[in-house]
Amino acid sequence: MAQNQNQAVIQQTQQRFATNRGGVLQFPHISPSLLNSANPWATTKEDLQALYGCPYTGAITTRTSLLSGFKHDPTIHQYAFFDARDHSLEARDVPDGLVSPEKNGSLNTLGYSPILLHQYLHIIKDISDAIPDTAYKSEKSLKPVIISVTGDATDVTKCYTLAWTHIRDASIKMPLALEINLSCPNIPDKPPPAYSGKALTAYLHQLNTQMMIFEQDYGRDTLKIAIGIKTPPYTYADQFKELINALLESCKPLMLFSSHEGTREAKSAATGEGTSRCPIQFITATNTLGSSLLLTDDNTPALASASGAGVGGLAGAPLHPLALGNVKTLRTMLDEHGELKHIQIIGVGGVSDADGYKRMWSVGAAAVGIGTALGREGVDVFGKIAKGVGLA
C-alpha cells in the first residue's frame, strides 16, 4: 500500500510540472521535488555548494538577499530550536545539524542575508563552472537555482535586471528563477508587502514593465528567468483574495509608452491589444509566522530582536497545519482562474519527513521546501525524505 502511495506521489508530481503551460516561462522542473527554502543554512558559498551537490535536492534556494546587503548583527538577529510540546529550548552549544529530533520548532529574529545579490550571482557562476561537461546535456538536465531577493518594487526590478544581465553574459549552465520575498515579519517599520493588495500590484506592475522592455529590446526568447513570490502565512479569506486580485490585475493587457524623458512605462491597453500575461510562475508558501514569542524557564524572551521584545517568526512543526491550509487554499483559488492555473506552488512549512512531504503534496504543492529540518538535521534530511517517499 505504501509503495503504491509513493508511486502516485511521483507520477502526479511529474504531471504538475508537465502540464505547466500557462506562463511566458515554465516553472523550472524540479526532480526530485525537494529543495531548501531561503533560510540561514543557505547563506554561504559552502552552504550552497553542499545543497547543490546533494543528490536528493531537485533545486536549491539562496538566502534572501538585497542589492546593497543587510547588516547582520548577531546580538539581535538570532534563532533557536524548541520542542513544540513544552517549549523547551535546545542548548545553545549544540551545533546545527545535530539538534535533537524533539526540537522540531524554530523561532527566529533574523533579517536577510549579509551577502549581496551580485555576490550570490558570482557564487552561482562558480557552481555552474564546477559542473563537468559530461553532466551537461542541456539546461533542463541540471537542477535549477532559485535566487531569493527582496526590497521595494524598484529595487526588486533592479534585482531582476541584474540577474537577467548576469545569466545573459556569464554563461550559467543551470536554469535560474527569482523568488521575490514579500513576507519577512522581522523588519521594523516594514510590514510584509504581500499582506497589501496595493503593494503587490505595484511590484507586479513594475516587473511586467521591465519584462516588456527586455522583450521589446532583445526579443521574447530572452525572458529566461522564471519569477515567483514568497508569501506570508495568510490567516483569513480576504488576505487570499487580495493576492488573487493582484495577480489577476497583472494579467490585464499592457502597452509600453515612451515619455519625453526617454523612460518607458507600461500602461493599460484595450482588450486584444498590447501584452497580456501574469509575470508570476510560482508562489512559495509560506514564510514564518510573525509576532511569535518563545520564553525561557524564567519567562524572559529566549531571543534578542531588533525591537527588543524577542518577538520573531515561527517555523517548523508548529507552522505545518497553517502552511498546509495556505497551500490548499492558494491552489484551489489559482485553479478557479484560467490565467492563473499555470502558477505552481512550492510548499514550505514544517516538513521534516516523508509523511510531511506527502501531506504537502496532497494539498497541491509541486515541490516541497525544507527549512527548520535542514537546520536541525543538515543536508541528510533530503535523503531521508526522498527515500521515504520513493523519490530516490
Side-chain angles (χ1 to χ4, degrees):
M1 179 67 71
Q3 185 174 3
N4 291 339
Q5 289 176 339
N6 289 349
Q7 192 60 34
V9 170
I10 296 169
Q11 290 175 348
Q12 298 224 13
T13 299
Q14 289 172 341
Q15 285 181 343
R16 286 176 189 169
F17 289 113
T19 56
N20 176 23
R21 295 287 185 265
V24 174
L25 298 167
Q26 291 186 36
F27 177 62
H29 187 81
I30 297 177
S31 180
S33 49
L34 278 168
L35 68 161
N36 65 291
S37 62
N39 60 54
W41 307 286
T43 300
T44 66
K45 181 177 181 178
E46 292 72 23
D47 291 337
L48 296 174
Q49 287 173 323
L51 288 163
Y52 201 85
C54 175
Y56 304 109
T57 57
I60 69 170
T61 308
T62 68
R63 187 175 178 185
T64 301
S65 62
L66 298 93
L67 284 172
S68 55
F70 180 84
K71 188 176 181 180
H72 175 77
D73 181 350
T75 65
I76 58 172
H77 300 128
Q78 303 175 351
Y79 61 87
F81 298 95
F82 68 97
D83 188 327
R85 298 169 299 180
D86 61 10
H87 293 200
S88 59
L89 291 159
E90 182 61 280
R92 290 190 178 274
D93 59 351
V94 175
D96 292 351
L98 298 175
V99 175
S100 305
E102 296 79 13
K103 302 299 189 290
N104 58 3
S106 68
L107 189 81
N108 82 79
T109 57
L110 298 167
Y112 303 116
S113 177
I115 296 177
L116 281 66
L117 172 59
H118 80 85
Q119 293 174 306
Y120 275 126
L121 290 170
H122 287 294
I123 290 171
I124 293 166
K125 170 63 173 170
D126 289 342
I127 294 173
S128 173
D129 289 345
I131 297 171
D133 292 338
T134 54
Y136 180 68
K137 298 176 183 177
S138 69
E139 184 182 87
K140 293 182 179 179
S141 69
L142 300 176
K143 69 176 69 175
V145 176
I146 299 175
I147 308 165
S148 185
V149 301
T150 195
D152 62 25
T154 299
D155 284 345
V156 162
T157 303
K158 291 178 180 178
C159 289
Y160 172 66
T161 301
L162 182 61
W164 181 89
T165 303
H166 190 79
I167 66 165
R168 184 189 64 171
D169 298 339
S171 300
I172 292 174
K173 297 172 184 175
M174 69 281 271
L176 297 185
L178 197 71
E179 174 193 88
I180 302 168
N181 185 347
L182 302 179
S183 51
C184 180
N186 295 337
I187 310 301
D189 302 318
K190 292 184 179 180
Y195 282 127
S196 164
K198 183 178 179 180
L200 278 167
T201 299
Y203 277 90
L204 298 178
H205 181 76
Q206 287 213 30
L207 285 167
N208 246 337
T209 297
Q210 191 58 53
M211 292 172 73
M212 292 177 70
I213 290 172
F214 284 154
E215 189 173 348
Q216 186 178 83
D217 291 350
Y218 301 100
R220 189 182 184 91
D221 291 341
T222 62
L223 300 178
K224 292 188 176 182
I225 302 178
I227 300 174
I229 55 175
K230 187 171 187 178
T231 55
Y234 294 135
T235 57
Y236 58 91
D238 283 355
Q239 292 175 323
F240 292 98
K241 291 178 183 177
E242 290 268 305
L243 171 62
I244 297 299
N245 288 340
L247 291 170
L248 289 171
E249 181 68 23
S250 75
C251 297
K252 292 181 179 179
L254 298 170
M255 291 186 70
L256 276 180
F257 292 88
S258 298
S259 69
H260 294 298
E261 293 79 18
T263 59
R264 284 174 285 182
E265 176 63 30
K267 297 183 180 180
S268 298
T271 302
E273 298 180 359
T275 298
S276 177
R277 61 152 170 256
C278 177
I280 299 303
Q281 284 77 51
F282 67 97
I283 294 173
T284 303
T286 172
N287 207 331
T288 59
L289 179 64
S291 299
S292 300
L293 181 63
L294 188 61
L295 299 176
T296 63
D297 290 340
D298 61 0
N299 289 330
T300 58
L303 300 176
S305 68
S307 69
V311 170
L314 178 70
L319 185 65
H320 190 54
L322 183 57
L324 291 173
N326 270 245
V327 173
K328 175 67 173 179
T329 304
L330 287 171
R331 184 70 272 159
T332 300
M333 296 181 76
L334 291 169
D335 287 343
E336 291 172 351
H337 304 278
E339 56 268 66
L340 303 182
K341 282 185 176 182
H342 71 280
I343 297 175
Q344 298 294 329
I345 299 175
I346 299 175
V348 179
V351 174
S352 62
D353 55 22
D355 288 339
Y357 174 95
K358 291 175 185 177
R359 286 190 291 269
M360 193 63 80
W361 165 84
S362 73
V363 295
V368 177
I370 310 299
T372 295
L374 172 60
R376 190 176 67 243
E377 303 179 40
V379 294
D380 289 347
V381 70
F382 296 104
K384 181 187 76 172
I385 295 173
K387 293 173 183 176
V389 81
L391 295 173

